[in-house]
Amino acid sequence: MSGQGGATPTGWRPVSKARAYELVVERVEEQILSGALRVGDRLPSERDLASMLEVSRAAVREALRTLEAQGVVRSSVGVGPDSGTVITGLTSEALTCMLRLHVALSNFSMADVLEARVMLERWSARLAAVHVSRKHLNAMRTLLDAMNDPGTEREVYNEFDTRFHVLVAEAGQNQLVADMTIAIRESMRTPILASFHATTDWEGLTERLRYGHESIFRAIANGDGAAAADAIEEHIRLAYDALQYRRGHDIG
C-alpha cells in the first residue's frame, strides 16, 4: 500500500477525500485511457478499490453508479463468473441517453442537431451503399412497406422511421459512425413524434417522407453511395422544413 511506502497494485493511485467519488471516476478513466482496462475486464472488488484508492466503500459505490449510468461499466451482484463490475462498450446507449436529455433541455439548438445529423447520415448512407447486406436490405424493405401502409398509426410510424435510419447506420459497418448516427437520430424520436401529432396534413407529409425513404433505399440497394448521401440529406432537410420544430425553434 502507498501508506507503507510501496507502490499501489496495478497502477491505482490513492485519491484525496474531497469529492472522493468523482476522483474515483477519474482513476477508472485513467486506467481506461492508458489501456490498462479494456472492454470485458473486471474491476477490483468494491472493498479492494476502496483500499487501493484510500476512500470509503460508499465513494466507490457512488463512482460505479456514475460509470454505469455513462455506459462504461456493468455491475452485477452475487457470486460467480457474472458477478462484479465489468468494463463495457455501450457507446450508442450512453450517447443516446446524453443527447436525448440535452436536446430535451434545449442545450443544443435544433439547427445544430440538424447539421450534425445531415453530416453523419450522409456518411452512414454512403457506407451503407458499399457494405449493406441482404439481411439489412430485407429489414429496410419490411419497414418501408409498413410505413407505406396508410393505416399505420403515427406512434408506430415514428418507431419504424427511427428503426429505418438506424438500419442505414448499422449497414455501413463502421461502429463509431453508426453509434454517433444512432445517438443523434434516437435523440430526435420524441420531438419528431410531437411534430407528427401536430401536423394537419398527415397524408401529405407521409407521401413526402415515403418518397425520401424510397430514394434512400433504392440508392443503397444499387450501391450508389453519392446518390444515397444526397437522398438522405434531401430527406432530412425536407422533413425538418415540413415539421413543426422548424424555423429555428428549439425543442424543450
Side-chain angles (χ1 to χ4, degrees):
M1 295 301 297
S2 59
Q4 300 173 329
T8 302
T10 68
W12 296 99
R13 296 186 290 112
V15 300
S16 65
K17 300 303 185 291
R19 297 183 297 111
Y21 88 91
E22 294 180 1
L23 296 171
V24 173
V25 171
E26 288 181 9
R27 293 296 182 265
V28 175
E29 291 175 347
E30 286 176 1
Q31 296 280 31
I32 293 171
L33 293 172
S34 71
L37 286 175
R38 301 180 182 276
V39 172
D41 288 346
R42 193 176 304 276
L43 288 178
S45 70
E46 182 181 294
R47 176 184 298 174
D48 288 344
L49 268 179
S51 176
M52 287 188 291
L53 301 178
E54 297 183 1
V55 296
S56 69
R57 292 181 67 174
V60 171
R61 203 172 299 123
E62 182 65 22
L64 295 180
R65 279 197 291 263
T66 299
L67 291 166
E68 190 163 19
Q70 294 173 354
V72 176
V73 303
R74 181 187 70 251
S75 296
S76 300
V77 297
V79 295
D82 295 327
S83 64
T85 302
V86 179
I87 302 296
T88 62
L90 303 178
T91 312
S92 58
E93 290 89 340
L95 284 171
T96 297
C97 180
M98 183 273 290
L99 283 171
R100 183 169 58 240
L101 292 174
H102 282 285
V103 169
L105 292 169
S106 298
N107 286 342
F108 300 133
S109 72
M110 198 53 62
D112 286 348
V113 174
L114 169 70
E115 294 305 324
R117 187 181 169 201
V118 166
M119 177 181 66
L120 286 167
E121 294 211 37
R122 278 187 65 89
W123 193 241
S124 290
R126 188 181 292 273
L127 289 173
V130 176
H131 299 292
V132 70
S133 66
R134 175 53 55 184
K135 179 180 178 181
H136 279 114
L137 285 174
N138 289 342
M140 289 179 200
R141 184 69 264 165
T142 298
L143 287 170
L144 293 182
D145 289 345
M147 283 189 280
N148 292 344
D149 181 350
T152 301
E153 296 182 357
R154 299 182 195 201
E155 290 83 358
V156 177
Y157 188 101
N158 187 41
E159 293 297 320
F160 290 163
D161 181 54
T162 300
R163 184 58 190 157
F164 175 78
H165 286 270
V166 168
L167 279 171
V168 171
E170 292 175 343
Q173 298 183 26
N174 182 310
Q175 192 60 52
L176 181 57
V177 172
D179 283 346
M180 294 175 69
T181 303
I182 290 167
I184 290 283
R185 182 57 182 83
E186 287 280 357
S187 76
M188 294 299 298
R189 183 193 296 262
T190 298
I192 287 176
L193 179 59
S195 65
F196 280 176
H197 283 302
T199 187
T200 57
D201 183 16
W202 177 242
E203 183 177 350
L205 174 62
T206 54
E207 182 59 36
R208 292 194 294 275
L209 295 178
R210 181 182 302 117
Y211 172 81
H213 288 143
E214 293 292 346
S215 297
I216 296 163
F217 177 80
R218 186 165 54 252
I220 290 174
N222 290 338
D224 191 337
D230 289 343
I232 208 161
E233 178 172 1
E234 180 182 1
H235 169 69
I236 292 169
R237 292 193 184 279
L238 181 148
Y240 176 83
D241 186 59
L243 296 172
Q244 296 298 315
Y245 54 76
R246 67 188 188 279
R247 306 187 195 284
H249 292 301
D250 297 341
I251 298 297

